[in-house]
Amino acid sequence: MFEFEIHHRDGRARVGQFHTPRGTVNTPMFMPVGTQGTVKGISPQELQDIGSQMILGNTYHLMLRPGERLVAAHGGLPGFTAYPGPFLTDSGGFQVMSLGHMRKITEQGVTFKSHLDGSLVELTPERSIQVQEALGADVIMAFDECPPYPAEREYIQRSLERTERWLARCLAVKSNDQQALFAIVQGGVHADLRQQSLDLTLPYNTPGFALGGLAVGEPKEEMYPAVAFTSERLPENKPRYLMGVGHPEDLVAGIALGVDMFDCVYPTRTGRFGYALTDDGRLNMNSSAPRTALTPLDVACDCYTCRNYTRAYLAHLIRAEEMLGPRMLSLHNLRYLHRLVERASAAIVAGTFSAWASEWSERYFKGKVPAWFSTALHHGQQALPHVSRESHAPKMNSN
């Protein structure tokens, strides 16, 4: 049911398909984030029109409001939201980090103060799985502890060991074989801790694996060696999910290193703040340049926004604080990321990914391509090594 097939490779980048009960998705792919059952400002039909394949929802938020029972009464998230395709639900592990001032962690689980009314809410591995089964997503995530950056090595080690124990508890109570549970590899930016987490996690042989504990504030010079290290040690025949990552440069670098799935609020949040994503970088619609421009945001883009509106009109909407402006920018930004992944996939199929990514980055970074990005592309073109369980190469930060 959750078969994963790789059809093309170019270096470590790969194009494949992941089969779920609600349909087959093409990888690599970017997943729009619908934290509370909606991708902000975008209708389900628009998501389908721009090529969205799988939507992310969040266990913690949906558990608090409207509650998983109401969602289940609609037949799960597809019936509740009217988006008919596959869903993935985050277990609530990210809130363990992001709500650090409002929670207490024990071996049993996490006790939160609700961000809505301050009431105490307990989320355990068992409760997370119970809620995710009621939400009815195709892919569910193991409940994990996501350390912040920076954090003490000792804390990161304790958290990854606890994450493994929580994974065992998640699998022990999981009862719905129509859902694929992905395990999450932690370890921060430390090679030896990443290896320890891999050694603890891989024996569970879950249908897919996530790279967790990254994009939480660390510099990209530390993040991408961790991505490379972890990705090349994950099973070749399982999808790899880099959690919480969605800047254009991160998608290209992650794809180069063999990542298959991404998600982030970045495209819609950026749109709400008045920015548009393009191959020339981020366009500020509050600046003076777009105010009289009679061209679309992107002449190569096929989204509804670019087919119908000029930069001048969109800049007017943003300045006038008309709700259509952020909506249209969000729609374009999502389509831009989907198109970016589609172009990367086409280059992988053609065997020209490295050249395409280099050309794209020269334009995107305006000729000043950062060293971390070039290193990621170079690493992605190297032959996959035979990695032993004890190997720690390539070198990463272990301080």
Side-chain angles (χ1 to χ4, degrees):
M1 184 183 304
F2 294 102
E3 183 179 358
F4 179 63
E5 305 162 347
I6 299 173
H7 298 298
H8 301 278
R9 298 178 186 271
D10 188 351
R12 300 185 186 187
R14 66 236 201 120
V15 167
Q17 289 186 314
F18 180 48
H19 301 278
T20 80
R22 292 194 181 90
T24 297
V25 297
N26 299 313
T27 62
M29 70 169 171
F30 174 79
M31 297 179 287
V33 175
T35 300
Q36 301 187 87
T38 176
V39 178
K40 284 187 174 13
I42 309 299
S43 73
Q45 185 59 58
E46 288 171 323
L47 290 171
Q48 295 176 75
D49 292 344
I50 62 173
S52 301
Q53 300 185 79
M54 183 179 285
I55 307 301
L56 183 143
N58 183 268
T59 294
Y60 167 82
H61 289 281
L62 291 168
M63 175 182 71
L64 293 186
R65 182 176 58 189
E68 72 275 15
R69 290 183 180 179
L70 183 61
V71 177
H74 288 76
L77 283 168
F80 188 58
T81 66
Y83 179 81
F87 275 84
L88 179 150
T89 43
D90 182 8
S91 67
F94 179 75
Q95 279 67 44
V96 177
M97 180 197 71
S98 63
L99 299 177
H101 61 296
M102 301 170 65
R103 54 90 174 126
K104 179 181 178 181
I105 303 173
T106 67
E107 185 64 25
Q108 176 64 17
V110 184
T111 302
F112 297 92
K113 280 188 177 181
S114 167
H115 69 286
L116 298 177
D117 59 13
S119 62
L120 290 181
V121 178
E122 185 179 39
L123 191 56
T124 65
E126 292 81 8
R127 175 72 171 130
S128 175
I129 297 302
Q130 177 190 37
V131 174
Q132 291 187 81
E133 289 191 337
L135 295 176
D138 300 78
V139 177
I140 64 176
M141 303 304 299
F143 189 56
D144 67 320
E145 182 178 354
C146 179
Y149 179 91
E152 296 292 332
R153 276 181 55 88
E154 291 75 13
Y155 171 66
I156 297 174
Q157 182 168 10
R158 289 196 306 271
S159 72
L160 73 86
E161 291 170 351
R162 179 180 287 132
T163 290
E164 184 268 334
R165 293 192 294 271
W166 284 357
L167 170 61
R169 288 166 57 186
C170 287
L171 289 167
V173 299
K174 180 181 180 295
S175 61
N176 187 348
D177 62 5
Q178 299 290 305
Q179 296 177 305
L181 186 148
F182 282 20
I184 302 174
V185 177
Q186 293 287 350
V189 294
H190 306 284
D192 55 340
L193 299 185
R194 284 267 155 192
Q195 186 66 51
Q196 181 181 351
S197 184
L198 284 161
D199 290 340
L200 290 172
T201 305
L202 292 182
Y204 288 92
N205 196 31
T206 54
F209 292 89
L211 292 78
L214 298 171
V216 292
E218 76 280 5
K220 293 186 180 183
E221 290 80 5
E222 294 185 46
M223 173 182 168
Y224 276 95
V227 173
F229 182 91
T230 309
S231 179
E232 69 187 20
R233 285 160 174 77
L234 290 173
E236 277 288 293
N237 63 338
K238 303 289 181 70
R240 303 163 180 163
Y241 168 28
L242 182 54
M243 304 176 75
V245 168
H247 289 227
E249 64 270 27
D250 292 322
L251 297 190
V252 177
I255 290 170
L257 295 172
V259 175
D260 306 298
M261 301 166 62
F262 306 83
D263 82 278
C264 195
V265 299
Y266 178 72
T268 48
R269 179 174 291 171
T270 298
R272 296 197 304 277
F273 290 163
Y275 291 90
L277 303 180
T278 76
D279 278 359
D280 296 306
R282 202 169 66 163
L283 175 64
N284 183 358
M285 302 305 291
N286 287 294
S287 65
S288 58
R291 295 184 181 182
T292 58
L294 304 184
T295 55
L297 293 173
D298 185 344
V299 294
C301 184
D302 57 3
C303 76
Y304 179 88
T305 305
C306 290
R307 287 187 285 110
N308 289 279
Y309 301 127
T310 64
R311 293 186 178 190
Y313 178 66
L314 294 167
H316 157 69
L317 293 177
I318 296 299
R319 293 197 316 277
E321 299 184 354
E322 287 288 342
M323 63 189 300
L324 182 63
R327 236 179 59 72
M328 289 298 98
L329 291 184
S330 296
L331 185 71
H332 163 76
N333 289 347
L334 286 170
R335 179 56 187 154
Y336 175 81
L337 292 187
H338 289 328
R339 287 183 55 246
L340 183 65
V341 172
E342 290 167 5
R343 287 184 284 164
S345 298
I348 295 168
V349 173
T352 59
F353 177 78
S354 181
W356 172 84
S358 297
E359 182 180 351
W360 176 86
S361 64
E362 282 290 329
R363 178 176 174 181
Y364 184 79
F365 291 113
K366 300 177 174 59
K368 299 179 180 179
V369 181
W372 67 264
F373 186 90
S374 298
T375 300
L377 292 191
H378 176 72
H379 193 90
Q381 283 300 303
Q382 297 175 2
L384 277 169
H386 174 72
V387 178
S388 70
R389 296 295 293 275
E390 293 75 29
S391 174
H392 286 215
K395 185 177 179 181
M396 286 170 47
N397 173 26
S398 294
N399 296 327

